[in-house]
Amino acid sequence: MVNKVGVRDLVEFLLRSGDLNSSLSSLNTAQAGTRIHHKLQKNRPKDYQKEYYLEKAVQVNHNDFLVHGRADGVILNDDSAVIEEIKTSDIEFQDIPENKMILYWGQVKAYAYLLMNENPAIKTVTMRLTYVQTPEEETTQKEQSITFTDAESFFNNLIKEFSEWLKLKDQLDEEKHTTAQKLQFPFKEYRDGQHELAAAVYKTVVTHRHLFAEAPTGTGKTISTLFPTIKAMGNDLISKVFYLTAKQSTRRVAEDAIRLMSDKGLRLRSITLTAKDQIMFEEERDQAPEDNPYMIGYYDRLKPALKDLLRHNHQITRDIIEKYAKKYTLDPFEFSLDTSLFCDVIIGDYNYLFDPQVHLQRFFEVQDYRNFYLIDEAHNLVDRSREMYSTELSSSSLADVIKIISRERESNKKVLTKLRSLKRQFNAVAKPLRDDHIFETATDDPLDKFTKAVTNLVKVMRKWIAKQDDSDDLDVVLDFFFQCTGYLKISEYFGPNYKVRILLDGKNVTVRLFCMDPSHDLAETLKLGGGAVLFSATLSPMDYYAKVLGDEPDSLKYELPSPFSPENQSIIVTSYINTTFRNRDQSIAKIVATINQMVTAKKGNYLIFAPSGLYLEKIYAEFIKQHPTIHTIKQESGMDDQARSRFIHQFDHPDDQPTVGFALLGGIFSEGIDLVGDKLIGVGIVGVGLPGLNSETNLIRDYFDAKNGHGFEYAYQLPGLNHVFQAAGRLIRGKHDQGVIVLMDQRFTQKRYTNLYPPQWKNYHIAHSPRELENDLHQFWNHLKGESHD
């Protein structure tokens, strides 16, 4: 098999040197760059050949490689030629760092060699670098000449250094393929459903499809998805697996699964990416990039660090990255990204793939069928993706920036003019609301004049910022600048699935671009890879999640039954409790009585979930008032990791100190926590989990009503029910777990809810009165007690 390597990739990796670029990153989009390329190419002479393909077969370490690329333009003469390389960015030409210019010219030099190698009569090439600064489209051209001898020497040196890295890569790949092929399932036997799920995942890899899979708690979904993808990697069907999720706890589960397979002989490189603000060294936080020792000379130290790290580590966690980053004085976040290029399994947050503002361009800028995505806790991606594709801009931030810039009016005239222009646009969009004495509105129409004012401001702010010294005031300006660029980035996605919301709060005006349905953008993102599995313990109803997470007609769907006996849990609906909003205060007495019936039926630990903070406070206050001797704890707002851990550890000793915990439905304790065995024997859920009525959820409702007639279900019912399923899933975490789930709302008896119950809920009981609830609870516990005696 002939391997391929692009000229640009080869040059950018091998020739990088010097500092991490401390100047502002370019905001130039791929679409803008392509448009400018086409415009320039169209105006070139007739003998100008655009997108000129070049290649050369080389043998590196006994491997056949095809070095290839497309020069933007070539003019061929009898014994000479011109090669043009077009670069676009919104950075001024004179501000481009030297290490970036080395990469630009390096790419043209490689093309020059390939061209002369194919055309021996050509002895010299004029290399033309055409740089276009956007959005003004100011063009700068520079030229250099190169002979065949010099170009050949340059190219051969590239290949020589490439061979050193290829030796290391070959060693890593050989180790990966050999051990992955031999790898056996790391447990003695499959749990019920595991083999079927693993087979479905492998089929998804082979067919390049997207699979939606519901794998209930206890299925072992992490190992059932990672194992088959690693086997596929061993058979050279894919080269990288991206395991993406919403929570750190789930990323640790993925690490544990890889560690388990490593204990069984697997040898590949995995890395867990940590957010920049979490992994940054403390001594970096107050340093400007040009003064930061972890950025100065970064690329000069990177390659030795990579070799050292990759030769001595397989599972690269945050601790490992920090250890080597300290050793070689490298910024740990950037070091982790550079290391990930050599890793086979990359574990991280959803935003690395899906967020258009922060996704990893090095992996997801172009399509690569060798990448495969595992999306865990996929139900969380619905709300997360809506926020990723939404943005807002506020006039209060603008006012702060105007105040700072106005301190030097004369020298900052140009910036002030654009700032005031944007201020006028804020006032213009707010005027109709103020005239009608309303505080918010939503429209389908893009605010073209407003967006143009933001664009014009960003142009001049970028130049202004580049000339400023580091200061607290500059930080305020930068924050607003990045808000503006974020607004412009999301504005490119604006379409029928968006609403423009205009909000008034006193003098403050907020313009928000709200994405009601990101399914198309999610689908396009998933198509960048060779396939994907989106899975969760709660992905019912499957059709709903398939619609909102891609809406592709050919996606696969797979639902596994629960591996646990339904006899181990009793689901009871109290039809005598009404928790609709207008009945909440009247319901508290019945809810408190019901909770007391639960916790006195059998001594042990219980978790009670309520749908809002205020409702939770009222229920909790009344419960401790009536039952002060019962040990209770309550979720508080803004709990840090230590506070969360203390909350969970309250359930460690159910025999000595039975605990009743009160928590928010849909909050931090309603998913992702494991209280196995007798650490939890009951879950009470107040209400059907409907999100609170608000303008944006109503917009989602209206959008889907128009699209498919299911607005209320998509906006309110199904997201709420998922919170219920997640909270109920805290109860049975293992085959020996037993307990009760009490659903406190009469709506749980309605067909529009019972029709959506998962299979293991089909034998639910309805308690029409407190007496019936008492009977059902005692019958269940006595039944289990009788079974244990048997």
Side-chain angles (χ1 to χ4, degrees):
M1 181 181 74
V2 177
N3 302 284
K4 292 184 177 182
V5 59
V7 166
R8 181 175 176 176
D9 293 337
L10 192 68
V11 167
E12 288 203 351
F13 176 70
L14 296 177
L15 296 187
R16 286 186 304 179
S17 62
D19 305 343
L20 268 173
N21 189 357
S22 61
S23 63
L24 293 171
S25 300
S26 172
L27 301 167
N28 185 50
T29 65
Q31 294 92 330
T34 301
R35 179 184 59 79
I36 291 169
H37 274 64
H38 289 168
K39 179 180 176 180
L40 292 176
Q41 291 167 337
K42 187 177 180 180
N43 294 325
R44 293 300 186 246
K46 288 184 178 180
D47 57 350
Y48 183 92
Q49 301 179 58
K50 65 180 181 180
E51 303 299 326
Y52 193 95
Y53 183 76
L54 294 160
E55 65 176 34
K56 176 177 172 59
V58 297
Q59 193 170 74
V60 187
N61 300 342
H62 308 293
N63 293 296
D64 293 325
F65 271 86
L66 188 69
V67 180
H68 67 101
R70 290 187 183 274
D72 290 323
V74 168
I75 299 174
L76 293 176
N77 301 310
D78 291 338
D79 59 355
S80 64
V82 177
I83 292 181
E84 181 177 45
E85 183 64 21
I86 302 170
K87 298 296 183 184
T88 62
S89 168
D90 51 12
I91 300 171
E92 292 188 46
F93 183 78
Q94 64 267 23
D95 293 332
I96 299 173
E98 178 62 27
N99 58 358
K100 192 72 172 178
M101 294 298 295
I102 289 172
L103 301 183
Y104 287 170
W105 285 115
Q107 190 174 343
V108 195
K109 287 178 183 178
Y111 286 149
Y113 169 72
L114 297 180
L115 183 68
M116 287 187 279
N117 181 72
E118 288 182 359
N119 301 273
I122 298 176
K123 302 300 182 182
T124 184
V125 165
T126 298
M127 303 181 297
R128 178 180 299 155
L129 176 63
T130 300
Y131 180 81
V132 183
Q133 183 208 349
T134 59
E136 295 91 341
E137 298 192 14
E138 294 179 4
T139 301
T140 303
Q141 277 194 347
K142 299 290 183 181
E143 290 187 354
Q144 296 180 10
S145 293
I146 191 168
T147 64
F148 175 77
T149 302
D150 289 341
E152 182 181 42
S153 175
F154 172 80
F155 184 82
N156 287 341
N157 286 334
L158 281 181
I159 298 302
K160 181 180 179 181
E161 185 171 355
F162 180 52
S163 70
E164 294 299 313
W165 284 97
L166 197 61
K167 286 178 185 177
L168 176 59
K169 184 178 184 300
D170 286 346
Q171 292 171 4
L172 303 184
D173 285 348
E174 176 64 24
E175 191 176 44
K176 172 184 68 178
H177 287 129
T178 302
T179 60
Q181 286 173 355
K182 293 179 180 179
L183 182 67
Q184 300 295 313
F185 192 67
F187 296 101
K188 290 183 179 180
E189 57 185 22
Y190 287 93
R191 295 179 189 172
D192 291 344
Q194 272 189 319
H195 191 272
E196 292 82 357
L197 176 57
V201 171
Y202 195 89
K203 178 182 177 181
T204 305
V205 175
V206 172
T207 59
H208 301 293
R209 304 282 288 280
H210 298 156
L211 169 67
F212 289 86
E214 182 174 73
T217 298
T219 309
K221 58 184 182 295
T222 305
I223 194 68
S224 301
T225 53
L226 270 171
F227 174 72
T229 51
I230 287 172
K231 292 296 291 182
M233 195 181 293
N235 293 329
D236 206 29
L237 297 176
I238 52 178
S239 61
K240 286 187 186 294
V241 175
F242 293 84
Y243 192 102
L244 305 172
T245 185
K247 294 182 174 65
Q248 287 187 7
S249 59
T250 319
R251 295 194 275 279
R252 285 193 289 269
V253 173
E255 290 177 348
D256 291 342
I258 292 173
R259 189 174 295 113
L260 180 65
M261 289 184 279
S262 298
D263 291 342
K264 301 296 182 181
L266 179 66
R267 293 292 179 269
L268 53 66
R269 269 71 186 171
S270 69
I271 187 168
T272 303
L273 299 178
T274 304
K276 185 172 185 174
D277 61 338
Q278 295 178 24
I279 200 172
M280 178 184 292
F281 292 136
E282 283 302 317
E283 56 267 36
E284 288 188 88
R285 294 192 185 278
D286 297 326
Q287 293 276 8
E290 58 271 20
D291 299 323
N292 185 342
Y294 295 94
M295 292 185 176
I296 298 171
Y298 173 90
Y299 290 115
D300 301 327
R301 300 184 296 275
L302 174 62
K303 291 171 190 173
L306 283 173
K307 289 179 180 178
D308 190 4
L309 171 66
L310 294 168
R311 283 172 175 156
H312 297 98
N313 298 276
H314 290 87
Q315 196 165 5
I316 301 167
T317 60
R318 173 178 174 172
D319 290 343
I320 296 294
I321 285 291
E322 289 178 336
K323 173 184 174 183
Y324 282 83
K326 278 284 188 184
K327 179 179 179 181
Y328 287 91
T329 319
L330 299 170
D331 177 77
F333 179 71
E334 292 294 336
F335 183 47
S336 69
L337 296 184
D338 285 318
T339 302
S340 69
L341 291 168
F342 296 87
C343 292
D344 311 296
V345 179
I346 298 170
I347 302 167
D349 188 86
Y350 295 148
N351 60 12
Y352 290 122
L353 173 61
F354 293 107
D355 193 322
Q357 300 199 62
V358 299
H359 78 283
L360 299 179
Q361 292 188 16
R362 64 190 70 202
F363 294 119
F364 308 130
E365 194 66 22
V366 296
Q367 194 174 56
D368 188 347
Y369 282 121
R370 304 279 289 169
N371 292 338
F372 193 82
Y373 311 133
L374 296 177
I375 314 299
D376 197 357
E377 297 178 317
H379 64 277
N380 283 312
L381 186 56
V382 180
D383 287 337
R384 280 283 301 273
S385 60
R386 280 199 184 106
E387 200 53 40
M388 288 175 188
Y389 285 91
S390 299
T391 189
E392 63 184 41
L393 202 57
S394 170
S395 65
S396 64
S397 300
L398 173 63
D400 293 337
V401 174
I402 289 176
K403 185 182 296 184
I404 291 170
I405 302 295
S406 297
R407 290 170 187 164
E408 297 183 22
R409 292 175 184 273
E410 287 302 314
S411 58
N412 295 335
K413 275 185 178 179
K414 189 176 289 188
V415 182
L416 277 171
T417 298
K418 300 304 180 184
L419 287 167
R420 288 167 179 155
S421 176
L422 179 57
K423 183 179 180 179
R424 287 193 294 273
Q425 286 303 315
F426 268 115
N427 290 333
V429 299
K431 186 177 185 303
L433 282 75
R434 291 192 170 115
D435 290 346
D436 292 338
H437 304 287
I438 58 177
F439 300 102
E440 64 175 87
T441 189
T443 177
D444 297 321
D445 301 324
L447 302 180
D448 292 335
K449 290 183 179 179
F450 182 89
T451 301
K452 185 177 181 180
V454 178
T455 303
N456 292 337
L457 174 60
V458 165
K459 290 180 187 178
V460 298
M461 280 188 75
R462 170 174 287 284
K463 293 181 179 180
W464 182 88
I465 289 169
K467 299 173 183 177
Q468 306 307 306
D469 295 327
D470 191 43
S471 68
D472 291 340
D473 283 346
L474 180 61
D475 289 342
V476 173
V477 176
L478 278 171
D479 284 344
F480 183 67
F481 174 79
F482 289 126
Q483 290 172 35
C484 290
T485 58
Y487 178 91
L488 293 178
K489 178 68 177 178
I490 297 302
S491 70
E492 296 171 12
Y493 294 87
F494 191 86
N497 57 328
Y498 274 83
K499 287 283 188 183
V500 179
R501 299 189 66 216
I502 303 169
L503 311 169
L504 292 185
D505 181 9
K507 293 183 178 180
N508 185 43
V509 186
T510 298
V511 174
R512 177 164 167 79
L513 305 183
F514 176 55
C515 181
M516 299 171 291
D517 176 18
S519 58
H520 171 75
D521 298 308
L522 294 178
E524 291 300 305
T525 300
L526 290 173
K527 288 176 184 175
L528 291 171
V533 178
L534 298 93
F535 58 101
S536 171
T538 56
L539 216 57
S540 294
M542 190 74 76
D543 287 343
Y544 160 72
Y545 284 100
K547 283 284 186 185
V548 296
L549 293 177
D551 200 12
E552 298 171 299
D554 62 342
S555 61
L556 305 172
K557 302 177 183 67
Y558 190 80
E559 297 180 68
L560 277 75
S562 171
F564 306 130
S565 170
E567 302 297 320
N568 283 357
Q569 72 177 9
S570 176
I571 298 169
I572 306 169
V573 179
T574 58
S575 65
Y576 55 89
I577 294 179
N578 183 342
T579 73
T580 55
F581 189 77
R582 67 172 59 94
N583 290 287
R584 285 194 171 179
D585 286 342
Q586 299 94 304
S587 69
I588 291 175
K590 291 181 179 179
I591 291 169
V592 168
T594 299
I595 296 170
N596 188 53
Q597 283 184 278
M598 285 180 64
V599 303
T600 55
K602 181 176 174 63
K603 179 183 176 182
N605 291 338
Y606 293 81
L607 264 174
I608 310 300
F609 294 97
S612 75
L614 180 60
Y615 204 11
L616 181 68
E617 289 284 352
K618 290 181 177 181
I619 293 168
Y620 178 74
E622 187 62 25
F623 186 83
I624 61 174
K625 177 182 176 182
Q626 293 191 27
H627 308 287
T629 61
I630 295 177
H631 180 250
T632 60
I633 55 174
K634 182 174 66 68
Q635 176 182 341
E636 304 294 342
S637 61
M639 297 175 76
D640 59 19
D641 289 341
Q642 288 184 338
R644 295 178 192 183
S645 180
R646 287 194 297 270
F647 185 96
I648 296 299
H649 284 307
Q650 292 289 310
F651 294 84
D652 287 348
H653 306 288
D655 293 331
D656 301 331
Q657 188 185 52
T659 297
V660 181
F662 290 78
L664 195 63
L665 190 61
I668 54 176
F669 298 114
S670 65
E671 62 177 290
I673 62 169
D674 282 310
L675 296 171
V676 297
D678 59 357
K679 288 187 178 182
L680 189 67
I681 64 168
V683 170
I685 298 173
V686 178
V688 292
L690 296 180
L693 289 169
N694 65 78
S695 299
E696 292 197 347
T697 311
N698 286 341
L699 290 174
I700 297 169
R701 178 199 61 198
D702 297 342
Y703 170 84
F704 281 107
D705 260 341
K707 185 175 183 179
N708 58 25
H710 296 287
F712 177 77
E713 294 98 311
Y714 277 34
Y716 285 100
Q717 182 188 9
L718 298 176
L721 196 55
N722 186 273
H723 289 157
V724 171
F725 290 156
Q726 283 288 330
R730 298 314 94 211
L731 182 64
I732 304 296
R733 312 298 295 175
K735 64 181 181 179
H736 299 299
D737 292 4
Q738 300 171 334
V740 295
I741 298 169
V742 177
L743 306 174
M744 291 175 252
D745 194 306
Q746 61 186 17
R747 287 172 289 185
F748 282 116
T749 65
Q750 298 171 359
K751 281 190 175 181
R752 64 176 177 174
Y753 283 97
T754 59
N755 289 342
L756 299 171
Y757 286 176
Q760 63 268 31
W761 280 35
K762 294 303 181 183
N763 294 325
Y764 67 92
H765 295 259
I766 298 177
H768 299 90
S769 66
R771 175 64 64 89
E772 288 188 22
L773 173 63
E774 185 178 10
N775 290 338
D776 285 340
L777 289 169
H778 283 293
Q779 186 176 353
F780 173 72
W781 291 120
N782 287 335
H783 170 71
L784 290 181
K785 187 176 180 181
E787 279 192 344
S788 65
H789 286 163
D790 291 342

